[in-house]
Every structure is written in structure tokens, then in C-alpha cells.
Amino acid sequence: MSTTYNPSQPIGIFDSGIGGLTVARAITKLLPNEQIIYFGDTAHMPYGEKSAEAIKSYSVKIAEFLKFKNCKMIVIACNTASAAGFKAVVKETGMKDLIVNVIDPAAEYVVKHHYRQKIGVIATKRTISSNVYAKRISALDPVADVVQLATPLLAPMIEEGFYNNKISQTIINSYLSKSKLNKIDALILGCTHYPLVKNEIQKFYGKSVEIIDTSIIVAQYVKTVLEKHQLLNTSKVNKLGFGKKSQQFFVSDFTQSFEETSKIFFDEKVKLKQFNIWEE
Ligand code: DGL
């Protein structure tokens, strides 16, 4: 029996930690009527250094939690979890195209705007070693030249507040100077944290390279999928308790420092609630 959903149900969003709040922020900006339930797996982060098997099992467990919370859609905001866990999440939840990952929308966008060109991807070690961006882009454009570089220092650097300063610019320049990325036409920011250093990356390239912020593209994609399934919430917020005030943010391990850092990713203060789904 297939489950039916309705527009007033929340959108579930999950990530390895709090970086996925960049995706949550883009979704709430574009779709202010939607209620979101966010889950950050801070107990297991960073996923970028974990095995694919571990990430798969974490992802399925979190998706089941969000389904239990009555979500009409689940967005895997984390690139690393999208690479390792997407297929398993689709299979285990049975929610089919109401499961959104962050890689397919970016691949579709880049093929549309940079057909047969040279595309760079920067991401965590796990995402790069999975080769997922190259596979998805090549499936749509076999002639595209996809070059990928792991940039593992960037996520912890940003989390520690190092962005828009001399130190971060030096580290970014050093990564982007690698010969692999020479003469690219576009660069996909394949990690939740990288929108925060988009300006610094753009500064390195000037206008010659399009820097693709996947959080914005994913938010557009979420809108399109909800419209297609007639699940977009068009009613004004709050009458039923939906909207900004009822957004919920869960983490599997709470620390004060996560709560403080979350502000840089979401633009405003976020109240994090500890909920360890592995102990329930
Ligand atoms: N959220 C992860 C991603 O987008 C980055 C942080 C991590 O390694 O857990 O790949």
C-alpha cells in the first residue's frame, strides 16, 4: 500500500552535523511556508572520514526517524551521505522520488549550463573517492571532463570560524592552484560548508569560472519536486503552528559550541535539541 502525503507535513533534512544548515537555510528562504525538521548527526561527524558502510547505516536510521516524524520529503543535505547512503535510504523508506540528494540537482544544473565543458568538483575525501559527481555528470553528458579534488581541510577550517580572512584565502588558493583544476569552466562546491567560502573561491578565479553553490540549486529542486507531487505548502504560516517558530533542529550529540557554530550556517540563532536516535 502506498502512503499518501499532504502539503502541511514537514520536510525532513539531515546532515552529518550542522553544515547542512546551509541547505536548510536555502530551503526556508525559498519556501517560507514549509515547516522543516532538521537532524544533524553530530555524534558521528565528520562523515567525510568514515566508511561507506557506516554512513549508509547512519543515513537509513536518520531517514527512518524523519519518516516517523511524519515528513513528506527527506532531503539528504550532506554530500557524503548522498554519495554513500542515497540508494539505501530510497529502498528502506520506500519514499522514492520524495527522497532528495544534493548531487543529482547539481549534476543536472551543470550539464544544462556547461554542456561538454570542463567541470571541477571539490568535496570531502569520501565524496571524491566515491566518484559520484563524475558518474552522475557523465551519465547526462558523456563528453564532460570532470576533475575532482578532495579538500578535507576546508570543512573543519570553516567550522572553526576561519573564512573570509587571510588564512582561509591562503588555504583555498593553495588547493585551487593544483594543476588538476586548471582551465575549468565551472566548479561545484560539493560540501555543505563551502557556500561560506564561495566569495573567496570566486576571488581566486575572477569571473572566468562559475562557482556552483549546491544549496541554492537543491532548494529549487525541492520546490520543483513538491510542485510535481502537489505537496508544496502554499498556505500562510503559523495558523496550524507551522512556519518559522515551529522549525525543529535535532542533533545526536549536543554541545554549546555546536549551537554557537550553527549560527554561521543558518544566518540566525538555532535552538538545537539533543535526540540520540541510537539510544531510543
Ligand atoms: N556534511 C559533509 C558533506 O557535505 C561535510 C562534513 C563531514 O565530513 O561530515 O560532505
Side-chain angles (χ1 to χ4, degrees):
M1 205 183 77
S2 69
T3 322
T4 53
Y5 299 99
N6 67 69
S8 64
Q9 288 175 273
I11 299 174
I13 303 174
F14 79 86
D15 177 47
S16 55
I18 46 180
L21 288 169
T22 54
V23 178
R25 176 184 64 183
I27 292 173
T28 34
K29 274 199 177 141
L30 185 69
L31 307 171
N33 291 343
E34 299 292 342
Q35 183 200 1
I36 60 161
I37 299 182
Y38 183 89
F39 189 92
D41 191 10
T42 48
H44 294 121
M45 67 178 273
Y47 280 10
E49 309 289 322
K50 295 264 179 334
S51 72
E53 275 316 304
I55 298 164
K56 207 190 278 180
S57 79
Y58 300 151
S59 301
V60 168
K61 183 91 179 157
I62 300 166
E64 273 165 358
F65 165 73
L66 292 171
K67 193 179 170 189
F68 173 76
K69 284 279 187 190
N70 203 25
C71 292
K72 63 183 172 188
M73 168 186 268
I74 295 172
V75 180
I76 309 178
C78 178
N79 288 259
T80 313
S82 291
F86 175 63
K87 277 194 193 142
V89 168
V90 172
K91 187 168 169 246
E92 297 303 325
T93 58
M95 287 174 73
K96 294 184 185 152
D97 39 341
L98 294 171
I99 303 291
V100 171
N101 69 69
V102 285
I103 292 157
D104 288 317
E108 277 176 26
Y109 176 92
V110 85
V111 167
K112 193 167 162 203
H113 296 272
H114 298 278
Y115 191 59
R116 299 186 154 192
Q117 293 188 345
K118 184 168 178 183
I119 317 299
V121 182
I122 54 171
T124 63
K125 283 185 195 164
R126 171 60 50 207
T127 302
I128 296 300
S129 69
S130 74
N131 214 18
V132 66
Y133 272 102
K135 282 188 207 150
R136 303 277 167 83
I137 295 169
S138 308
L140 303 170
D141 174 6
V143 179
D145 180 11
V146 184
V147 286
Q148 306 176 88
L149 182 75
T151 48
L153 267 187
L154 298 189
M157 172 188 92
I158 295 164
E159 250 167 62
E160 286 303 319
F162 286 91
Y163 56 96
N164 286 332
N165 66 30
K166 272 194 197 145
I167 295 170
S168 56
Q169 189 73 59
T170 306
I171 293 171
I172 287 166
N173 291 357
S174 149
Y175 274 135
L176 300 181
S177 304
K178 305 262 183 232
S179 58
K180 223 182 206 182
L181 296 177
N182 277 352
K183 297 207 169 103
I184 52 170
D185 298 289
L187 181 71
I188 296 179
L189 305 184
C191 174
T192 45
H193 295 49
Y194 301 175
L196 272 82
V197 290
K198 185 180 176 188
N199 290 343
E200 289 168 85
I201 292 172
Q202 193 76 68
K203 210 162 159 190
F204 175 85
Y205 287 112
K207 285 197 179 124
S208 60
V209 174
E210 185 187 5
I211 312 301
I212 299 173
D213 176 348
T214 51
S215 67
I216 293 165
I217 292 162
V218 170
Q220 286 291 349
Y221 188 88
V222 163
K223 185 175 182 219
T224 309
V225 175
L226 289 176
E227 275 169 347
K228 186 176 156 208
H229 290 268
Q230 294 169 348
L231 287 174
L232 192 68
N233 193 357
T234 49
S235 61
K236 279 272 166 259
V237 293
N238 279 332
K239 203 171 167 197
L240 295 169
F242 294 154
K244 227 176 173 182
K245 288 215 168 64
S246 63
Q247 311 294 33
Q248 294 177 61
F249 301 91
F250 295 101
V251 284
S252 47
D253 184 34
F254 177 88
T255 67
Q256 201 58 47
S257 116
F258 284 139
E259 191 160 86
E260 274 150 30
T261 314
S262 63
K263 197 170 174 229
I264 67 173
F265 295 107
F266 200 66
D267 270 357
E268 58 186 91
K269 209 165 176 233
V270 167
K271 188 108 203 76
L272 298 178
K273 223 192 271 172
Q274 167 143 344
F275 193 92
N276 191 343
I277 53 177
W278 283 271
E279 277 175 5
E280 293 306 305

